[in-house]
C-alpha cells in the first residue's frame, strides 16, 4: 500500500534593510505575527520571481531581488510541509522607502526593526532560526539550508 503524498506549499520572501541595517518587516492583517514581505509561489513561477511579485503587490516597489539567503523546510505533523525561500533584497534607497504603498487588504503596517532587537512574539517563533540564518547568510555570503519541525 502506498502512503499518501505529502502536501507541500512554497513561499518566497525578501530581506530588505535600510541604511542603518534595520530589517523591513510587515504586519499581515490575517496573521498574529509580523513577517518579511513575500508570499506563496504560484504555479509556473520561480521562487525569486514570486518574491519580486509579492514585493511589488504588497509594497508597490520593484527593487531588484538578489541571491538566495535561505532554503528552509518547515514541517508540522498533520499539516504538511512548506518550503521557504528568503532572498536578499539589499538596502532600500530613500526613494524606495518613500514609495512604499501597502496593499491594505493584506498588510496593516510596516516598519524597520534592528535585527537584534526583535521583541518576543513579534515574529513567528518557529521562524526565528530561519530569520537569523538569513541575516547570517547575508553577511557570510553563504546560503543556509534549514529544517524546522513544529
Amino acid at each position: 500500500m502506498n502512503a499518501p503524498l505529502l502536501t507541500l506549499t512554497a513561499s518566497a520572501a525578501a530581506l530588505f534593510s535600510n541604511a542603518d541595517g534595520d530589517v523591513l518587516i510587515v504586519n499581515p492583517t490575517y496573521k498574529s505575527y509580523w513577517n518579511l514581505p513575500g508570499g506563496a509561489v504560484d504555479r509556473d513561477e520561480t521562487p525569486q520571481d514570486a518574491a519580486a511579485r509579492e514585493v511589488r503587490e504588497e509594497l508597490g516597489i520593484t527593487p531588484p531581488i538578489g541571491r538566495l539567503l535561505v532554503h528552509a523546510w518547515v514541517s508540522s505533523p498533520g499539516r504538511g510541509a512548506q518550503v521557504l525561500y528568503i532572498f536578499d533584497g539589499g538596502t532600500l534607497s530613500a526613494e524606495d522607502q518613500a514609495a512604499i504603498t501597502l496593499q491594505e487588504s493584506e498588510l496593516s503596517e510596516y516598519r524597520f526593526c534592528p535585527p537584534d532587537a526583535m521583541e518576543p512574539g513579534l515574529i513567528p517563533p518557529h521562524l526565528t532560526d530561519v530569520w537569523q540564518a538569513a541575516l547570517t547568510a547575508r553577511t557570510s555570503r553563504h546560503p543556509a539550508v534549514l529544517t524546522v519541525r513544529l
Side-chain angles (χ1 to χ4, degrees):
M1 184 163 107
N2 292 338
L5 294 176
L6 174 69
T7 301
L8 180 67
T9 61
S11 297
L15 176 66
F16 294 106
S17 61
N18 62 15
D20 295 327
D22 299 335
V23 175
L24 175 67
I25 57 176
V26 295
N27 191 2
T29 57
Y30 53 91
K31 292 183 180 178
S32 301
Y33 299 103
W34 289 68
N35 219 330
L36 296 173
V41 177
D42 290 341
R43 181 182 303 274
D44 298 327
E45 184 176 49
T46 69
Q48 192 169 25
D49 289 344
R53 175 185 51 76
E54 286 287 343
V55 166
R56 183 177 60 253
E57 289 174 3
E58 291 182 350
L59 303 176
I61 57 175
T62 57
I65 302 299
R67 69 185 182 88
L68 180 66
L69 297 175
V70 170
H71 175 263
W73 176 271
V74 181
S75 64
S76 173
R79 293 186 55 199
Q82 177 184 31
V83 179
L84 175 59
Y85 302 89
I86 301 178
F87 294 91
D88 192 351
T91 302
L92 289 178
S93 67
E95 293 80 18
D96 277 334
Q97 291 176 53
I100 291 175
T101 305
L102 294 180
Q103 182 182 24
E104 293 178 3
S105 62
E106 289 193 21
L107 302 176
S108 61
E109 57 189 313
Y110 74 94
R111 72 185 205 187
F112 286 90
C113 187
D116 58 350
M118 299 265 187
E119 304 129 35
L122 184 66
I123 64 173
H126 67 281
L127 293 181
T128 302
D129 290 344
V130 175
W131 285 39
Q132 188 56 52
L135 293 165
T136 300
R138 190 183 226 188
T139 58
S140 73
R141 307 293 300 160
H142 299 288
V145 177
L146 300 172
T147 298
V148 178
R149 296 190 196 283
L150 304 179

